[in-house]
Amino acid sequence: MAARSVSFDADAHFMETGVESPLDEDRVHDSFTQLIHEQSRDLSHTETMEMNSFDLEEETRDDFPSLSCADSCAGVPEEAELTDPLVETCWSTATLRVLSSMPSRTIGRSRGAILSQYYNRTMQMCRRRQSRPSIRSFSRSARPSICGYRVETDAANFDREENKRERLVNNLQNLSENDRVRMLRAIPLSLHEKRELRLSALRKPGRSFSRNEIPCCSQLKYYIIIAFRHSWYSWLSFLSSLQLWQTALKRVSGRFGTGVLSYFVFLRTLLFFNVFLLLVLCLFLVVPQAVRPPSLSASPHLYGLELLTGAGYFADSVMYYGYYSNYTLTKACNGARNQTSCGFHLSYNMPLAYFFTIGAAFFITCIILVYSMSKSFGQSFRIDRSKGLLAMKVFCSWDFKVTKKSSVRLQRENISIQLKELVAEVNRKEVKSSLLQRLSAFSIQLLAWTICVGSTAGCAYAIYCFSEYMHKDLQIRVRSSSNTKESLLLKEASLLALPVAVSSINLLLPGFFNTVAWMEEYDSPSKRNYVAIFRNLMLKVSLLGVLCYHWLGRVALEPKSVGLECWESFVGQELYRFLLMDFIFTSLDTFFGEFLWRLFSQRVLKKERKPVFDIARNVLELIYGQTIAWLGLLFTPLLPVVQVIKLLFLFYMKKTSLMRNCQAPRKPWRASQMTTFFITLLCFPSFLGAAVCVTYTMWTIKPSASCGPFQGLNTMFQAGKKWVEQLAKDNPRLTWLTWAHTYLVENPFFLFLAAGIFLIVIYFHSQVVDGQRKIIELLQEQIENEGEDKKFLITRLQTIHEQKRPFSPRRVRGASQESSFS
């Protein structure tokens, strides 16, 4: 069997070939080839091969008698020759020496050989103690094969082993503290035996010091180090306790797996985004304007629907665009006679602050999203084979520092569900189907996708027609002269019709998608979830596209036709209504779809079956709500407050409903890339679409002439240009700001350049991760090939040895059998 190796050379020839030919075996495995040639030339040379730089006499005395079984091969039947040569028990002496020299053959190694070998090591270190060589400079030890495994029950052997142990302990006592620790770590024994050796080495008479004999400086140093370590561990524990919903997320992961956990982790990420936006907008927009409020014209009418519609009392508040002033806020002089007595006063340009705060909020959010997505790509697309992860999870996942009963139970549940997911992934097999079965499955999936796409297009067209009807109805109501309280109340209530219609479609159509998905047969639950996410994403994008056209193509271009003096505030109220209705309908879906269905199934149908948490629908609802929140930053600076409150209620409501009303998926599956996929959807369809709409509004659409910080301007971008021109006029040295603003702010090329740079960064990062993945795959393949190389080497050595022994027992037996048959 030829060996394959991995080449990391940058040469194009090696990059194209990738795997070297068998002719390169001599260059790759030079030591193996040299060893084979020595065996081929003369068998006696193998008797004098140097297997290790340490003394092996005691090891050979301990292990090779049991390994040397060449003389016992006479009784082996002929059928044994047909078996795998690696499982044969009759090896030649030279082959046994090669086997014992291989570092990987450590299973079943005798304890006496280990003690002898490390006694020799410690003796050499004691002899050369003056030079103090590093433990890393020593080569690996010669380790006998599994063939040498035996249980030493003889009293003489036991005494001899105890003598070796005592001599090893004496040598360990003569070593320095660091060398002793490194040597104990390197000894291939159990932790219990290592602990006994360490305690025995520390019990040497005259070597232990009392606390009074230790110098004061050393005591102080040790106390400082111990105090620093305790404080550092306490600080890490405190930081871990500050993580939001850490215990709740562990409970969710322990009972429902990583798929459901990814939804709540994504919800927490969105909460952090909105908290950041809230802090920025409140610090630079809301608080300065609230300190210097503008003069209000008249008190608004109260109709009782303000909390649902966002109009009425909330219309003239810091919540909407129309409340903010278009002048520079200055501190009053408090009745001073002359202005010079006021001294230095603060001024705050509100239009400029509004413009740059919104722009900076979007820009910083974009950077955070790109960084999060790049980091998530690097974490989730690592090469991790399920079998290796399963072994790591079995042997290395338990935290022995956990002592609290509730924490132990939680950790046990978490590890249990992760083991189920890994086992399900390992046992998952690809079912090979016939051509007719594949054609049938493809036809069913094509039919399902046609139904889903058709229903999405129909719903989007229905929303388009309904929004146009509501726009015309609003125009008719404006032209009517009826100003009674009933007509005004009916007019304000009619504003909820479009949000209710859109939220109803968002509630009902995903259930229809799940019904259609019953026809399809996907081999894995993760694939089924991805298909459901794409269908729900298609629905949300279509509806948001129709709504953006309604707001920016109808209302913003012709505000006078519907009687709007401040169309920005009206669009902000619409976004508030859509966000609130989305939360109300999500709560209704949680109550009717999970709680009532669980009661109906258990009490009426007499089944213990509970609904399964719909990851695709719930995640797309989060993305839909966050897109509305980003769209409303320009028109409703306080919309992130509503989004933060909504996410907080949503987390506790969903968690409670999940624990009481839902069951874990029937087929466990590991969602290793779900969080990365969610952040990617949040970045590209959601944030990119919201940023394009806001940029289009600030660049193209004319602001309202009677409200807002940009009244009297043709576009919102002119606020920055006007301020730069004023600075250049007051100070001629700042004329370069006009050029910078013209080419960097007003020119869309800079925006496209920044977006292109972000995309290039993401692309290069994904390519680096992809390259690392390929290298890791090649390394894993090389590790497998190394094992095959060892098998090939051992078989080759045994074959050559048998060829050099013409009168071997096996050949004599074979010749005698042939003569007897003849």
Side-chain angles (χ1 to χ4, degrees), residues 281-282 284-290 292 294 317-327 329 350-351 354 569 634-638 706-711:
L281 294 175
C282 286
F284 295 101
L285 285 184
V286 178
V287 173
Q289 187 63 64
R292 304 289 297 170
S317 64
V318 291
M319 189 170 184
Y320 296 113
Y321 167 90
Y323 183 82
Y324 294 85
S325 57
N326 65 329
Y327 50 81
L329 304 178
M350 201 63 204
Y354 201 99
S569 295
L634 180 63
F635 312 107
T636 313
L638 281 182
S706 58
C707 70
F710 305 107
Q711 51 183 309

Side-chain angles (χ1 to χ4, degrees), residues 596-611:
L596 291 184
W597 175 251
R598 194 255 303 175
L599 293 180
F600 177 78
S601 177
Q602 291 181 347
R603 299 185 179 182
V604 178
L605 300 179
K606 302 299 182 181
K607 295 181 179 179
E608 293 298 329
R609 182 179 178 182
K610 297 180 180 180

Side-chain angles (χ1 to χ4, degrees), residues 5 21 59 98 187 209 251 271 281 361 403 496 510 544 548 579 647 653 711 734 760:
S5 65
S21 63
E59 289 192 51
V98 174
I187 296 177
F209 298 96
R251 289 198 182 98
L271 180 64
L281 294 175
T403 57
L496 297 173
L544 285 174
C548 288
L579 192 61
L647 291 176
M653 180 180 65
Q711 51 183 309
L734 299 178
I760 290 173

Side-chain angles (χ1 to χ4, degrees), residues 695-708:
T695 306
Y696 172 79
T697 303
M698 301 177 73
W699 236 315
T700 308
I701 303 178
K702 184 177 181 180
S704 299
S706 58
C707 70

